[in-house]
């Protein structure tokens, strides 16, 4: 199963990942539209991103969430009714919403952010 | 649940193409489909089945402001459609389905409800019923805020609303089944364009028994994508299914567009999303620790009720039973398929709409079929289960299934069967009188046979289907039992069977049941816990406050197309620590969510207080509506004594210690040496008095006279002092009250500058667009304030007439006066209009 592996100890908080993610999927540099989020804490930085655990799949009433052949949990916008149950049920709160968007969005382990991170705090891995 | 599980059900889709080919289109109407803007389409669809005519009605700002939507629209349309003399089976009786402005949002749990209103066959007053399923939202996304069905079809018909093509048809459908689980599947598959489209079709149907009884319910369907089957939710109460069948309706079908998260075109999507995610997260974090709604739905309270002696057992004689464990959540968690998002509309993370899957039926025409059963919910488990002494979950499920598919209200049926079984226990009913049915406690087979008889329209089932109120009379007329006793033990109010809580030890709940507009139903004031278990509302005034706040608050859900469960069946984790107990019961954070939802959808900023105001307008209007139909006075707010205290020796003895203690503590009388009968009489007097005191306190709080009539001040305060409304209450008000109005009237008239009067009348007339039948709105407005002279005339009539005829005469007089005023004002306005150009008068 493919997923985005994080190494927060290497993170310097420049948020290149957030920018590249929102740019890639929403054509803007807006942290609110990024699937990955970096937050400063007392002890450094915290990186929050989907780990492809699949818990959200079970709550979707219309079967809009499925794993693809690589094990990545994908959201089918055509089927999705924007109920956001998957958002409330994600154990790590990594399914995102934005008021401009009627459907939620999440990390699809594409690796764009990993390539944008100069500190190598992110990588695409297999589990 | 295993993701790839394929459920095995009996399917009913074979031959549906031939069935559909047999349809004959009787009438067709073309419309422009639309999506709501800020929650409203601003139009409704009226269908007359007698004339096969379709009419679109505009919904103006005033209508929205006064009635909001849902139940409010339903009551308003019903008021306009019927006369005080209308009977439930007259063609003008109107079935209105209205979803409400918030309905159809997908982000917040419980936002897919429709409100159904009609004149009830069982109570002869308006009934409203709140139901899930996809019909309401899909109707709204087709372009209508309400659907109204009047008239009667000459033969059985279906109405199909296609919100994609913009077409409504009335068709014959001679071959499809009447019974809901079959009809829903057949019509869903007929009108969906392909498999992916199945979820965009919803069917409303009743069933075979709805036509032979007065307690028919409606089933609203939705397509469950995971189970790949149509499922049903019920508009249960008050016999609307009976009206539906009486109109010759086999089904209503709606085919809407594919649902998306922004179809209401809300004013502020982000605000709704925030509220939704917050609640989903609460469900995720706390449901397992709180009500376990996601696992067992409302059945979680069966054991709680039993523990507190509040579960109805054997026709509400007792409040608990050793076998309750067989029908409590420990059973249902095994019977219900776990791990499926079981919401009755998209986005309900509370997901209480559980199903018993692949259930093999054991009786009736579908014996051997494998079906999915919706529920049982608490009310069904308690009503069809413990209240009938039935503690076998399989019978409860079977009963639940047949009630649904035949179109019968499980609550009424449970209370009816409990009553019949007690009549059997006491020898009022015998095998000769039931046609051989052994109606002993716990006889599931007999209960089911009674139900099948109802569906076949034969035998004792026909009598049972008349409801408790009529059975009391039938049995005593036959000389089988004493009316007073039958009246004591038959749990109904205003003709509606009581829902399933034992209220003997909770005075507030007695009021919660019997001081309702539609009859004893839990959705209005469920205060039993607050009163009895938590002792939070000890004084009459406290109870009156609760019986003001909660009914008003809960009415609001029905105005907006919402479910009440996500309000307080889950709470924020700190609700109980952060708030004082009484406030905690209102779940302030969730009330704020509702403020956000309403304002977020409609763009109209409201406050928490406005929620109560919006509801009260409709609530008081409904009270006057009851009055208009001949009920709505104190006399009709009285419970049968079983709801208040022990009727029989056995009941007293079963709780002797408690009752003796009450004699001592409440009445200050030493119970020692007194016979059971004496002590029962003491209780009865005490409890009946106490109830009257509660009624007084509640009436005061609600702004009603001691006879339960909303005063003119109350109507005015709520902005519903429309001519017909005022005319309805006027004959019931005291001289002092009428005098007060006269004084106020004279004062305002004096204060009003002469030249402003006309324009004020005009302004009011356009603001209060209430009475379509009155062509001249100015005249209508004038009528709200009868002149002092007219008021005097009413008083005279009041004095002259004999007491028995007083009310009728007063009503007639009021109507006469109003007619006169109307004519006068009409004349005056005509004159004025002749002088002024019309365009000015519209300002
Ligand atoms: S969005 Fe959340 S629940 Fe879904 S796979 Fe990612 S981490 Fe798991
Ligand atoms: S928001 Fe979309 S993907 Fe998430 S649970 Fe709802 S329908 Fe499924
Ligand atoms: S809580 Fe239950 S009844 Fe209410 S909307 Fe959700 S599934 Fe439907």
């Amino acid at each position: 199963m493919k997923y985005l592996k994080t190494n927060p100890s290497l993170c310097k908080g420049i948020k290149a990942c957030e920018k590249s993610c929102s740019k890639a999927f929403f054509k803007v540099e807006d942290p609110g539209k990024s699937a990955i989020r970096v937050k400063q804490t007392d002890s450094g930085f915290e990186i929050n991103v989907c780990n492809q655990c699949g818990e959200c799949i079970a709550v979707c009433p219309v079967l809009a969430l499925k794993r693809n052949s690589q094990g990545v949990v994908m959201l089918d916008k055509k089927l999705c009714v924007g109920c956001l149950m998957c958002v409330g049920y994600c154990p790590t709160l990594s399914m995102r919403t934005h008021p401009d968007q009627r459907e939620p969005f999440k990390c699809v382990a594409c690796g764009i952010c990993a390539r944008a991170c100069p500190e190598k705090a992110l990588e695409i891995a297999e589990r | 649940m295993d993701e790839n599980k394929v459920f095995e059900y009996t399917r009913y889709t074979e031959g549906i193409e031939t069935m559909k080919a047999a349809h004959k289109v009787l009438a067709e109407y073309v419309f422009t489909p639309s999506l709501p803007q800020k929650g409203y389409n601003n139009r409704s669809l009226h269908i007359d089945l007698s004339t096969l005519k379709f009419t679109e009605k505009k919904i103006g700002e005033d209508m929205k402001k006064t009635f909001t939507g849902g139940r409010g629209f339903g009551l308003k349309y019903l008021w306009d459609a019927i006369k005080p003399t209308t009977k439930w089976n007259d063609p003008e009786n109107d079935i209105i389905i209205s979803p409400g402005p918030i309905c159809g949002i997908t982000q917040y749990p419980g936002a897919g409800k429709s409100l159904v209103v009609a004149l009830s066959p069982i109570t002869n007053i308006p009934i409203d019923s709140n139901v899930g399923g996809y019909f309401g939202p899909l109707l709204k996304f087709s372009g209508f805020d309400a659907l109204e069905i009047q008239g009667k079809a000459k033969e059985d018909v279906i109405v199909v609303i296609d919100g994609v093509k913009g077409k409504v048809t009335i068709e014959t459908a001679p071959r499809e089944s009447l019974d809901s689980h079959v009809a829903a599947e057949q019509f869903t598959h007929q009108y969906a364009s392909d498999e992916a489209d199945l979820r965009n079709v919803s069917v409303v149907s009743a069933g075979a028994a709805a036509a032979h009884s007065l307690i028919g319910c409606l089933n609203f369907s939705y397509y469950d994508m995971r189970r790949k089957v149509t499922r049903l939710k019920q508009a249960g109460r008050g016999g609307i299914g009976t009206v539906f069948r009486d109109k010759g309706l086999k089904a209503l079908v709606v085919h809407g567009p594919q649902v998306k998260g922004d179809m209401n075109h809300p004013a502020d999507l982000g605000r709704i999303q925030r509220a939704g995610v917050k609640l989903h997260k609460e469900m995720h974090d706390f449901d397992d620790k709180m009500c376990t709604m996601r696992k067992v739905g409302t059945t979680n309270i069966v054991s709680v009720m039993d523990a507190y002696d509040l579960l109805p057992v054997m026709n509400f004689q007792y409040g608990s039973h050793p076998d309750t464990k067989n029908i409590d959540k420990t059973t249902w968690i095994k019977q219900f398929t776990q791990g499926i998002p079981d919401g009755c509309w998209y986005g309900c993370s509370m997901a209480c709409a559980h199903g018993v899957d692949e259930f093999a039926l054991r009786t009736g025409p579908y014996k051997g079929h494998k079906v999915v059963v919706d529920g049982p919910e608490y009310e069904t488990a308690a009503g069809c289960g413990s209240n009938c002494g039935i503690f076998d979950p399989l019978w409860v499920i079977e009963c639940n299934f047949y009630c649904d598919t035949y179109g019968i209200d499980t609550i009424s049926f449970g209370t009816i069967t409990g009553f019949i079984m007690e009549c059997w226990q006491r020898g009022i009913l015998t095998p000769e009188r039931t046609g051989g049915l052994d109606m002993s406690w716990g006889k599931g087979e007999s209960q089911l046979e009674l139900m099948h008889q109802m569906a076949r329209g034969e035998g004792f089932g026909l009598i049972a289907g008349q409801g408790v109120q009529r059975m009391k009379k039938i049995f005593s007329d036959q000389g089988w039992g004493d009316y007073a006793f039958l009246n004591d033990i038959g749990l109904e109010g205003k003709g509606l069977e009581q829902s399933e809580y034992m209220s003997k030890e909770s005075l507030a709940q007695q009021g919660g049941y019997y001081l309702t507009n539609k009859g004893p139903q839990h959705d209005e004031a469920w205060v039993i816990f607050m009163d009895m278990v938590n002792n939070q509302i000890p004084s009459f005034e406290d109870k009156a406050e609760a019986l003001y706040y909660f009914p008003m608050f809960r009415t609001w859900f029905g105005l907006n197309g919402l479910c009440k469960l996500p309000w307080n069946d889950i709470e924020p984790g700190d609700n109980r620590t952060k708030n004082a107990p009484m406030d905690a019961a209102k779940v302030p954070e969730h009330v704020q969510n509702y403020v956000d939802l309403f304002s977020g959808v409609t763009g109209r900023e409201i406050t928490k207080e406005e929620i109560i105001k919006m509801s009260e307008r409709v609530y008081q209007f409904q009270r006057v509506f009851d009055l208009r139909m001949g009920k709505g006075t104190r006399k009709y707010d009285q419970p049968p004594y079983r709801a208040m205290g022990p009727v029989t020796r056995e009941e007293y003895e079963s709780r002797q210690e408690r009752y003796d203690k009450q004699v001592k503590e409440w009445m200050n009388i030493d119970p020692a040496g007194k016979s059971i009968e004496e002590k029962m009489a003491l209780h009865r007097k005490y409890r009946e008095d106490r109830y009257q005191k509660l009624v007084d306190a509640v009436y005061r709080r609600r702004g009603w006279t001691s006879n339960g009539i909303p005063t003119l001040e109350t109507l005015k305060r709520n902005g519903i002092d429309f001519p017909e409304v005022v005319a309805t209450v006027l004959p019931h008000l005291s001289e002092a009250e009428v005098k007060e109005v006269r004084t106020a009237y004279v004062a305002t008239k004096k204060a009003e500058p002469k030249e402003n009067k006309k324009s004020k009348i005009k302004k009011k007339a356009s603001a209060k667009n209430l009475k379509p039948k009155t062509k001249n709105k100015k005249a209508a407005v004038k009528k709200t304030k009868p002149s002092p002279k007219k008021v005097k005339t009413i008083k005279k009539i009041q004095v002259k007439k004999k007491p028995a005829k007083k009310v009728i005469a007063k009503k007639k007089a009021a109507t006469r006066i109003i007619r006169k005023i109307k004519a006068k004002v009409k004349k005056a306005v005509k004159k004025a209009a002749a002088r002024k150009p019309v365009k000015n008068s519209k300002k």
Side-chain angles (χ1 to χ4, degrees), chain A residues 55-63 65 76-91 93 97-103, chain B residues 3 106-108 199 225-226 228 258-262 268-270 273-274 276-277 280-281 283-285 287 294 339-341 346-349:
Chain A
E55 296 237 339
C56 52
I57 296 174
V59 299
C60 178
V62 290
L63 303 164
L65 291 162
D76 182 344
K77 277 195 176 188
K78 243 175 44 217
L79 288 174
C80 172
V81 290
C83 71
L84 313 186
M85 293 209 293
C86 52
V87 180
Y89 271 73
C90 170
L93 297 178
T97 60
H98 190 281
D100 291 351
Q101 291 297 118
R102 61 183 185 195
E103 289 91 15
Chain B
E3 295 266 306
T106 57
Q107 297 80 6
Y108 199 86
R199 70 186 226 202
M225 287 182 70
R226 289 185 182 255
K228 300 198 187 321
Q258 173 106 327
V259 173
K260 289 282 156 193
D262 58 355
D268 186 346
L269 183 62
Q273 289 180 333
R274 283 192 294 280
V277 171
H280 294 325
K281 181 95 180 74
M283 283 303 311
H284 172 269
D285 294 350
D287 182 50
R294 288 177 64 82
I340 291 195
Y346 303 124
C348 188
S349 47

Side-chain angles (χ1 to χ4, degrees), chain B residues 504-538:
Chain B
K504 273 183 238 181
E505 296 311 315
S506 166
L507 176 61
Q509 188 56 41
Q510 291 161 31
Y513 270 146
Y514 289 88
L515 299 176
T516 48
N517 284 328
K518 64 181 152 192
Q521 156 74 359
H522 55 286
D523 70 349
E524 200 174 276
W526 192 82
V527 288
I528 200 160
F529 234 67
M530 198 189 292
D531 188 35
M532 220 195 116
V533 181
N534 299 335
N535 196 23
Q536 286 169 339
I537 42 177

